[in-house]
Amino acid sequence: MTRILIKTIALVFVFTSFIFTLHAQQRVNKERHYWFTLETGKNLFREGSYGDALTAFHDARDYRREMYSKMENDLIILLSLPEVRRMNDSLDMIEIYIAERGQLDAAAALNELYYRVGRGALSNSAQRALEYFDRLKSYPEADYWIGETYRLMGENEIALRQFNETLLNSDRMENPAFAIEIRYKIADIEHLSQHYNEMERQLQTILEHDTLWMQDDGSFVKEAMSRTIENSGASRFLQMYRYKNGESEKAHKLLGEYFYVSGRHGKAVSHLIFAFLIQNTTIIDEIISKQFDFKFTNLENLMLELARRDELKNYMKETGYYQTVYYLAAALYATGKANPARELWSFLAERDDANEWRGRARVQLRAPFVEATQETP
């Protein structure tokens, strides 16, 4: 009996090793098929060949679905055998059967699952293995690129459907955090469509990943930050606080501006403070990384450090730095905090590169006013 067991184990080991080697090459070839097609689509997209890109993205999605559907079917055929059904869903027993009977297709299917999700995730359950195959058939990366192509073609409704479909499967993406970027795309489309409630919902969902924003349940940190900038000004505020969160910076900025123009000035201040802090922390940290003895004193001196730092100038342009400063000042003024508002407007008024925001700041310094509320549905 012991000799038979050892022989069986050895057989399983040799067969599994052979199948793993064989399957590894097959998997690379099959994966290259759908992955390479997706990459081809991306290149076509960058070249502006949107019609051909769409075809490639759809093909990539179809290739992946076909690949995993076949593997799922191979496993279903095996599990349908009477002798396998009597194994009570045990993958361990089924693997021995596969090795003994030389079931190459079923072995390849299981090895693909082990590679993708890990043996432990299957909990020794063949039924669970089938559930994972159903999940693997989706290709959210391809869905995203289909949506992005339609967006640039001006087909926003189709793009929105694709982005929402991608979000449903975002946990299956190679980089699940990319869901945040997709939510920004959705928020942009909803804004263009004047669906402001949905835009706000998407941005608030992004902020659920902002640890400081979400964990400050008692608002102690937020209130302390607000008191500092309201009572001591922006420069003192930036001397005391640092916070870097590139994922949430844009959401805070967009919500802050939205709340300001819709007349919810208190909410606007809270979000714009975070956007302002994140933007300046990013700039200060980058300067310190090249000049370790740098110490922030005030916004004017910080700008002097940017004279030869084109990458930081680009960052300020990309994030709308001066626009953030303007609206933070405007929101502070609207909530009765005239002194810090004037400090920020005075800073903008001296910045030649602030363009529109320099002019608007100078108007405010001459005769401050709260801008008219815009009606939002």
Side-chain angles (χ1 to χ4, degrees):
M1 184 69 181
T2 304
R3 215 179 279 175
I4 294 174
L5 180 61
I6 292 173
K7 184 178 179 181
T8 301
I9 293 172
L11 177 64
V12 171
F13 176 77
V14 171
F15 181 78
T16 304
S17 298
F18 167 72
I19 287 298
F20 182 80
T21 303
L22 178 65
H23 169 67
Q25 184 59 49
Q26 291 175 336
R27 178 184 54 73
V28 169
N29 290 337
K30 289 175 180 176
E31 181 181 291
R32 185 177 294 147
H33 197 197
Y34 69 75
W35 178 84
F36 181 77
T37 304
L38 182 72
E39 293 304 309
T40 300
K42 291 181 186 178
N43 288 332
L44 290 166
F45 174 89
R46 295 183 188 105
E47 293 168 2
S49 301
Y50 297 137
D52 292 336
L54 273 176
T55 299
F57 296 143
H58 280 287
D59 285 346
R61 187 172 64 180
D62 291 343
Y63 293 154
R64 178 166 171 136
R65 184 184 298 115
E66 290 167 7
M67 170 182 163
Y68 284 111
S69 293
K70 181 185 181 305
M71 290 184 175
E72 179 186 44
N73 190 57
D74 291 337
L75 190 56
I76 288 173
I77 291 172
L78 177 80
L79 297 175
S80 300
L81 297 174
E83 58 268 38
V84 176
R85 289 205 303 267
R86 290 193 291 269
M87 293 177 182
N88 297 322
D89 198 42
S90 170
L91 273 180
D92 289 342
M93 295 179 66
I94 292 169
E95 277 191 280
I96 294 173
Y97 179 88
I98 287 172
E100 289 177 338
R101 302 300 176 91
Q103 295 279 351
L104 294 177
D105 290 339
L110 284 180
N111 276 321
E112 174 67 15
L113 275 186
Y114 296 154
Y115 173 77
R116 288 292 172 192
V117 304
R119 186 184 294 262
L122 303 180
S123 304
N124 194 32
S125 167
Q127 185 59 43
R128 191 165 178 81
L130 289 176
E131 292 171 2
Y132 269 101
F133 269 126
D134 192 55
R135 297 180 63 186
L136 286 168
K137 282 185 277 187
S138 66
Y139 199 6
E141 285 85 358
D143 286 328
Y144 165 76
W145 281 104
I146 291 170
E148 181 64 357
T149 305
Y150 276 119
R151 186 181 73 85
L152 288 189
M153 292 171 66
E155 299 287 349
N156 283 341
E157 289 302 315
I158 301 176
L160 200 57
R161 288 198 298 271
Q162 284 297 137
F163 288 148
N164 281 311
E165 179 68 23
T166 306
L167 280 181
L168 291 175
N169 299 311
S170 61
D171 61 325
R172 304 169 201 181
M173 299 182 78
E174 291 184 11
N175 179 16
F178 190 60
I180 290 176
E181 182 62 29
I182 296 170
R183 290 194 183 278
Y184 275 123
K185 301 275 188 184
I186 293 174
D188 285 342
I189 292 174
E190 299 291 11
H191 180 262
L192 287 172
S193 304
Q194 297 185 345
H195 299 153
Y196 298 114
N197 289 337
E198 182 57 26
M199 178 200 74
E200 180 183 343
R201 188 181 74 81
Q202 292 293 338
L203 295 175
Q204 295 287 10
T205 301
I206 291 170
L207 293 185
E208 291 175 5
H209 299 272
D210 187 326
T211 305
L212 181 58
W213 180 263
M214 294 303 296
Q215 287 186 354
D216 187 25
D217 293 335
S219 297
F220 300 120
V221 174
K222 295 174 190 172
E223 288 179 5
M225 289 167 59
S226 295
R227 282 197 303 271
T228 301
I229 201 167
E230 290 168 0
N231 298 329
S232 304
S235 293
R236 179 59 179 162
F237 169 74
L238 292 175
Q239 289 171 2
M240 293 182 62
Y241 296 100
R242 292 283 188 278
Y243 184 53
K244 193 172 182 178
N245 190 326
E247 290 182 345
S248 67
E249 176 271 326
K250 184 179 177 182
H252 283 300
K253 179 178 185 295
L254 292 175
L255 282 171
E257 293 172 6
Y258 168 62
F259 286 138
Y260 176 77
V261 300
S262 60
R264 289 169 282 180
H265 301 129
K267 282 188 173 183
V269 169
S270 297
H271 285 287
L272 289 165
I273 282 176
F274 265 71
F276 178 71
L277 178 59
I278 293 168
Q279 289 175 359
N280 280 285
T281 297
T282 301
I283 294 169
I284 292 168
D285 284 356
E286 181 59 27
I287 292 173
I288 291 174
S289 72
K290 304 289 193 302
Q291 185 182 334
F292 70 92
D293 59 344
F294 172 78
K295 298 222 183 294
F296 174 85
T297 53
N298 55 53
L299 286 172
E300 288 76 9
N301 286 336
L302 179 63
M303 294 299 108
L304 292 176
E305 296 293 332
L306 304 182
R308 295 185 301 274
R309 303 294 296 273
D310 289 339
E311 75 281 9
L312 289 179
K313 292 178 185 176
N314 289 335
Y315 171 78
M316 292 172 65
K317 183 176 181 179
E318 289 167 4
T319 57
Y321 178 85
Y322 292 128
Q323 185 174 349
T324 303
V325 174
Y326 176 84
Y327 276 111
L328 175 56
L332 286 167
Y333 181 80
T335 55
K337 311 300 178 183
N339 289 336
R342 284 185 172 278
E343 177 194 1
L344 291 169
W345 280 328
S346 295
F347 162 70
L348 283 177
E350 300 302 319
R351 298 296 307 167
D352 292 338
D353 54 341
N355 301 321
E356 172 192 354
W357 308 105
R358 180 194 190 195
R360 292 177 67 168
R362 288 185 168 184
V363 170
Q364 289 282 13
L365 286 171
R366 285 196 294 271
F369 64 98
V370 178
E371 296 170 61
T373 298
Q374 298 178 18
E375 294 298 325
T376 56

